[in-house]
Amino acid sequence: MAPPRGFAAYKKKDGILALSRDLQSVSWTPTAPPGSQPAVTLSVKNITNLQQTPASSPKVMLKVFAQSPGALASETHVFSFTSASQARAEADAIKDALSKAIQAAQAGALVPAAPGGVSSSAAMAIASAVSSTLGAGRDTSTLYDDDQLKSNVELQQSLLKANPSLSKTFMESLRTKPDSISNSQFTSQFWSSRAHLLRAHAIERSQTRGAYNVLSTIKPRTEENTIKLSISKEQIQLIFSQHELVKRAYDENVPKLSEEVFWSRFFQSRLFKKLKGEKILEADATDAVLDRYLALDEDLERSRRMLAAHIPHIIDVEGNEQNHSQRKGNQPDFSMRPTSVDRVPIIRTLNSLSEKIMSHVAPNDVDPSAPIGMDEETFNSLALRDLQADAEENRIILNIKDQGRFFSSDKADDTSADALLYNQQDPNEVLKSVRTDLASKGADVDLASAIGVDDDSSDSDSGEPHPGHVGSKASLRGATTRLFDAIAQQRAQNEDLSPSGLSSAQAASTCDLSSTIFDRLSLTHATTTEFLHHFWLAFLSGDPLRAEEVARLVETLDRAMDRIRAVADDAEAERLKEVEKLKKQVRDHYERTHKKLSFHPDTVKGGAKVVNQLMGPTVTAIGVALRKYREALVQEEDMQ
């Protein structure tokens, strides 16, 4: 859509006030002499305020306040719109567009700008924040920009391979596109509405697997009385980074021992069981080389870090033991007493390993500029809230004395016709009539028969129509039908919709259509929706150069209607074939047993009726598009 523009005078000179295509600047160009350069150009990021004359004023003027970087005061520019009939509309359009551009510039000030001068979207900001933890030192400000994603052919092909449904939609749309749209134009328009899918796929591809407990994944296997083990270079690097004791043993004993011998003896040694957190038994094999490292404490470095770090005493169990010893009186609970490593080796090992792994992960919820130490949030999380007084309530109490007056406006419309009829009757007269009827019936009164309820009756006993009454079979059947229709409608509204626009239950059952017909229908729906999107982009652009493209897209929508009819015809032919098959089964059964089976063709579901019902909204959308195009075409011919 073209940016707004209008005829406006500046300092008593006529000219044109217009926004740039990227909505980053507004310029005023004098009309005389022809071909003049813009005399005034204001950047949107420098505009501080906008003022416009009220609608009641005969003059239409727009005052723009702009302050250049480093300037002490803002400059004022007044533009008077001179159009005889469209002055107010042009001023409103330019002011609204400027206001949105200023808000976008202020909101995007905290986000790195994308190439071309367009501010990054919120989704790009989120993607950049996510990718900032994937690798330090990489420039990710433009990795997830919309233009960058739409030009990344390799990423698009990767997404099509990972998403078969999207790939099928893309290939079918490319095959049935009009000749007026080139492949590059079609690809650009196709991915412009799916930039979020490309961004999510790019983030997924850029993520790498983090560190894990590598020793727990390495398990020797026995084949033909021989212990075999497979280990990769990546696993060896992880072992060295997670367990410095193994790295030290490797440096001191290799190449005295070959690498194969070293790793074979390590995975059968007691040192391996200790590092995994398993309990060492007397029956375990000994190793003269590796058993020397059993007495070394792998957590010495961890202890140094613990001493250097400031841990609140409320969660420091060893600190409590030193500062407030409880050697007298009752012992604290087992979970609150510091224990040696030998008591619970698996817990100590897993906790230590988890701490090492997490220490190499860059936190994404910490502000690097925040001061080091306990912040207010941590202090509040450690505070004993049970010992604090109740917080004072800070709320506004809303008292409504008469709530009925807020809902009395539609009371007359909600009153049914029966309620109005009953309001006109006199209760005394009604009771008198009921007593008279009961007295005439005698003592033994059957209320069911008195009001006309007869369960043994049939509505088809008499061909003559008779008025329905409360309790008749027709009334009961009608009430049941309305009840189940309401339940089905509520269920359809509560069901989730699948990407094809159908409910999950419908998509699972293929709506009584065969899988082949349903797949064709889904593909036809997806391609038709894609061409509708292209049509509205071209039709609403207002560009006269795209008139031929719009005409070709109208022909494509006509062919889409033909494809929908073809699917409906094939579905109906398939249903008729099933009907003939069932009729043949009924005839064969009658020839064998001389017993006639009841069969009605309407019991076979599916066919063109279901196709037309599913594609009804799409057909309506195509009709609206074609009608709008014909109206615009007639209007253009009348103007000529």
Side-chain angles (χ1 to χ4, degrees):
M1 187 174 181
R5 55 185 300 171
F7 294 95
Y10 178 70
K11 294 183 179 180
K12 298 182 180 181
K13 292 184 180 181
D14 294 334
I16 298 176
L17 183 66
L19 269 75
S20 60
R21 289 189 174 273
D22 57 0
L23 302 179
Q24 296 301 305
S25 63
V26 58
S27 60
W28 179 83
T29 306
T31 55
S36 301
Q37 296 296 326
V40 178
T41 301
L42 303 176
S43 178
V44 170
K45 62 182 180 180
N46 296 335
I47 297 177
T48 58
N49 193 14
L50 295 174
Q51 291 182 0
Q52 185 181 3
T53 55
S56 59
S57 177
K59 295 184 179 180
V60 182
M61 294 185 296
L62 179 64
K63 183 182 290 186
V64 182
F65 297 86
Q67 183 175 0
S68 303
L72 299 179
S74 59
E75 299 178 357
T76 303
H77 304 272
V78 180
F79 301 95
S80 300
F81 290 85
T82 58
S83 176
S85 59
Q86 301 292 331
R88 178 63 60 180
E90 292 175 353
D92 292 340
I94 293 178
K95 182 178 181 297
D96 294 340
L98 271 178
S99 300
K100 294 179 181 180
I102 293 171
Q103 293 177 1
Q106 293 176 353
L110 300 178
V111 184
V118 182
S119 297
S120 303
S121 61
M124 177 189 166
I126 297 175
S128 301
V130 172
S131 63
S132 62
T133 61
L134 301 179
R138 293 190 301 170
D139 184 14
T140 59
S141 59
T142 60
L143 286 180
Y144 304 107
D145 176 61
D146 288 353
D147 296 335
Q148 188 79 7
L149 294 172
K150 287 186 291 185
S151 62
N152 193 339
V153 179
E154 191 269 336
L155 178 64
Q156 297 168 5
Q157 293 178 352
S158 175
L159 178 58
L160 292 178
K161 291 180 181 179
N163 193 336
S165 176
L166 184 63
S167 175
K168 187 182 298 183
T169 302
F170 177 81
M171 298 305 297
E172 182 66 18
S173 302
L174 183 63
R175 185 180 65 84
T176 57
K177 71 176 180 65
D179 298 334
S180 60
I181 300 179
S182 63
N183 291 339
S184 59
Q185 290 176 345
F186 170 78
T187 304
S188 177
Q189 293 178 359
F190 182 85
W191 293 113
S192 63
S193 60
R194 295 170 174 85
H196 61 287
L197 299 179
L198 291 172
R199 185 176 293 107
H201 188 64
I203 295 175
E204 182 181 358
R205 291 180 55 188
S206 61
Q207 291 177 343
T208 56
R209 184 178 180 181
Y212 59 95
N213 187 359
V214 62
L215 291 182
S216 63
T217 61
I218 300 176
K219 297 180 180 179
R221 63 183 185 277
T222 303
E223 295 180 2
E224 299 178 358
N225 297 327
T226 303
I227 299 177
K228 294 185 178 181
L229 180 68
S230 298
I231 185 172
S232 61
K233 294 182 179 179
E234 291 77 9
Q235 290 176 326
I236 293 177
Q237 295 296 330
L238 279 177
I239 293 175
F240 287 161
S241 63
Q242 294 176 5
H243 304 281
E244 297 180 359
L245 200 57
V246 179
K247 184 178 181 180
R248 175 180 174 182
Y250 179 87
D251 292 338
E252 293 179 356
N253 296 280
V254 177
K256 297 178 183 178
L257 299 175
S258 64
E259 289 197 12
E260 293 80 3
V261 174
F262 174 82
W263 291 114
S264 176
R265 294 173 63 172
F266 170 73
F267 287 111
Q268 300 180 49
S269 65
R270 296 187 176 188
L271 180 61
F272 176 66
K273 295 190 66 176
K274 176 187 176 183
L275 296 179
K276 286 183 63 177
E278 298 178 359
K279 192 173 183 180
I280 300 176
L281 304 177
E282 294 293 336
D284 293 336
T286 59
D287 190 296
V289 176
L290 299 178
D291 286 352
R292 294 180 299 157
Y293 301 94
L294 289 174
L296 299 179
D297 189 2
E298 191 188 24
D299 292 338
L300 287 177
E301 184 64 25
R302 173 178 174 272
S303 301
R304 297 191 191 100
R305 293 197 307 267
M306 292 283 290
L307 291 175
H310 173 71
I311 302 177
H313 292 305
I314 193 171
I315 60 175
D316 186 5
V317 179
E318 296 181 359
N320 289 338
E321 181 68 19
Q322 296 173 3
N323 297 315
H324 184 65
S325 176
Q326 296 184 0
R327 295 185 177 91
K328 297 181 179 179
N330 296 331
Q331 265 192 338
D333 186 70
F334 169 76
S335 60
M336 297 300 296
R337 295 198 302 266
T339 57
S340 60
V341 180
D342 298 335
R343 294 286 300 274
V344 278
I346 184 65
I347 296 178
R348 294 280 186 170
T349 302
L350 292 180
N351 288 343
S352 176
L353 184 59
S354 300
E355 184 180 355
K356 290 179 181 178
I357 294 175
M358 294 303 297
S359 63
H360 294 86
V361 177
N364 58 358
D365 56 348
V366 177
D367 186 5
S369 61
I372 300 175
M374 184 186 303
D375 54 2
E376 186 176 357
E377 183 179 358
T378 305
F379 177 80
N380 293 333
S381 64
L382 297 177
L384 300 177
R385 298 182 181 85
D386 295 342
L387 302 181
Q388 298 178 359
D390 296 337
E392 183 179 356
E393 294 184 358
N394 185 13
R395 60 193 178 110
I396 300 175
I397 300 177
L398 180 63
N399 296 321
I400 301 178
K401 296 181 180 180
D402 184 12
Q403 299 184 10
R405 61 189 180 91
F406 294 102
F407 312 100
S408 60
S409 58
D410 299 332
K411 187 175 294 182
D413 298 336
D414 296 338
T415 305
S416 62
D418 293 339
L420 295 175
L421 180 61
Y422 293 148
N423 290 335
Q424 297 175 1
Q425 296 181 2
D426 186 7
N428 295 327
E429 294 295 333
V430 175
L431 291 175
K432 182 179 180 181
S433 176
V434 172
R435 292 192 185 98
T436 303
D437 292 341
L438 293 178
S440 63
K441 296 294 183 179
D444 299 332
V445 178
D446 187 3
L447 295 178
S449 60
I451 63 175
V453 176
D454 186 5
D455 294 336
D456 298 331
S457 66
S458 176
D459 294 339
S460 60
D461 292 343
S462 177
E464 299 180 358
H466 52 83
H469 54 83
V470 178
S472 64
K473 282 194 171 182
S475 299
L476 295 177
R477 186 166 53 251
T480 304
T481 302
R482 287 192 295 270
L483 179 62
F484 280 105
D485 289 345
I487 294 175
Q489 184 179 6
Q490 184 67 25
R491 179 181 179 184
Q493 293 176 356
N494 293 335
E495 284 180 344
D496 296 331
L497 294 181
S498 63
S500 61
L502 306 176
S503 65
S504 57
Q506 289 174 334
S509 62
T510 66
C511 303
D512 298 317
L513 298 174
S514 65
S515 59
T516 304
I517 296 295
F518 188 79
D519 290 341
R520 285 181 55 193
L521 184 63
S522 301
L523 188 58
T524 302
H525 173 268
T527 55
T528 305
T529 304
E530 187 67 27
F531 288 128
L532 278 171
H533 177 70
H534 293 327
F535 169 80
W536 287 115
L537 285 177
F539 182 75
L540 297 177
S541 65
D543 190 357
L545 300 177
R546 303 186 67 178
E548 185 67 21
E549 180 184 348
V550 174
R552 295 294 182 88
L553 286 170
V554 169
E555 297 177 0
T556 304
L557 293 180
D558 290 333
R559 290 196 296 268
M561 291 292 298
D562 296 337
R563 286 193 293 270
I564 295 174
R565 297 190 192 98
V567 175
D569 294 340
D570 294 344
E572 185 64 22
E574 199 174 69
R575 192 189 78 86
L576 294 178
K577 184 178 179 180
E578 184 67 21
V579 169
E580 292 297 329
K581 179 180 178 182
L582 294 177
K583 285 182 178 180
K584 184 178 182 301
Q585 293 179 0
V586 171
R587 288 194 298 267
D588 294 343
H589 184 269
Y590 179 75
E591 292 175 357
R592 291 194 311 267
T593 62
H594 298 285
K595 294 182 179 180
K596 187 176 181 180
L597 296 177
S598 60
F599 171 73
H600 197 278
D602 293 340
T603 58
V604 180
K605 305 297 182 180
K609 181 180 179 181
V610 175
V611 173
N612 294 331
Q613 182 179 3
L614 294 177
M615 298 298 292
T618 303
V619 173
T620 303
I622 295 176
V624 172
L626 296 178
R627 187 178 73 252
K628 292 291 185 182
Y629 171 75
R630 295 189 181 98
E631 291 176 356
L633 189 62
V634 171
Q635 184 179 2
E636 185 69 21
E637 291 176 354
D638 294 341
M639 292 177 62
Q640 293 178 355

